[in-house]
Amino acid sequence: MPTDERPVLHRPADQARQRADKKADEKLAVELIARTDYGRVATTLRAMPFLASARHIVVDGRVLLRMPLSCGYHLACAGSVVAYGTDNLGHARLGEPLWSVQIVGPCATVEPSAADLERFGPAPPLVDGAPYEAVYLGIEPRFASVNSADAGPERRLGPPV
């Protein structure tokens, strides 16, 4: 049966608004990530889904991870597109909205600056009984999602503390 529907053409103004919304989502996601110390990186390892916890900091809009070298998790992450997420579900203060955030982007091994290392703080002495040796990864956000249990964190969270 023929239809009179025509394809929707996206006007430049619509595309510009979508790009601006995407950048705003990425900015909010990175700001929320900066409010926590730990999260989980997701990627694949031999075609199987894989999650690993990591310590993180935010530097110039990029998320830097510190992970234990001995576990080899960095080998699955570096050179791949990964997802990284965190939340405040277990430590929200009374009256603070609950939120979770995820970024997706390319991940690479990085050399943190001395200031970055100081921001990471002390590493644990052991991981799984072995001396802790750190490896550092950087994620460039290309996609972000923020979910909240109320009207939206961007309305009530205020500036980072």
Side-chain angles (χ1 to χ4, degrees):
M1 178 171 192
T3 179
D4 289 338
E5 291 183 32
R6 296 177 192 252
V8 175
L9 299 177
H10 294 286
R11 293 174 285 206
D14 293 338
Q15 292 171 343
R17 186 172 26 263
Q18 289 172 348
R19 280 192 302 274
D21 289 348
K22 181 181 175 230
K23 282 294 178 195
D25 288 348
E26 288 173 11
K27 185 175 187 279
L28 176 61
V30 171
E31 286 174 3
L32 290 171
I33 289 171
R35 294 180 183 209
T36 63
D37 293 329
Y38 293 89
R40 289 175 189 80
V41 64
T43 189
T44 57
L45 181 61
R46 294 184 208 96
M48 297 297 290
F50 175 76
L51 281 175
S53 59
R55 170 76 171 97
H56 66 261
I57 61 172
V58 174
V59 177
D60 297 328
R62 191 165 90 168
V63 178
L64 300 186
L65 308 180
R66 179 177 72 192
M67 301 176 77
L69 180 69
S70 63
C71 295
Y73 302 146
H74 65 288
L75 298 173
C77 299
S80 298
V81 172
V82 301
Y84 188 74
T86 190
D87 58 62
N88 73 342
L89 302 177
H91 57 274
R93 293 178 297 237
L94 186 61
E96 182 181 2
L98 298 176
W99 54 264
S100 63
V101 62
Q102 168 183 283
I103 60 165
V104 177
C107 181
T109 305
V110 298
E111 286 293 325
S113 70
D116 296 338
L117 291 173
E118 189 173 317
R119 287 185 56 210
F120 271 112
L126 301 172
V127 169
D128 295 334
Y132 188 91
E133 186 178 347
V135 64
Y136 298 90
L137 303 170
I139 304 171
E140 292 286 341
R142 298 288 165 81
F143 171 79
S145 63
V146 177
N147 301 101
S148 67
D150 69 354
E154 64 278 358
R155 294 191 190 118
R156 294 195 24 223
L157 286 172
V161 286

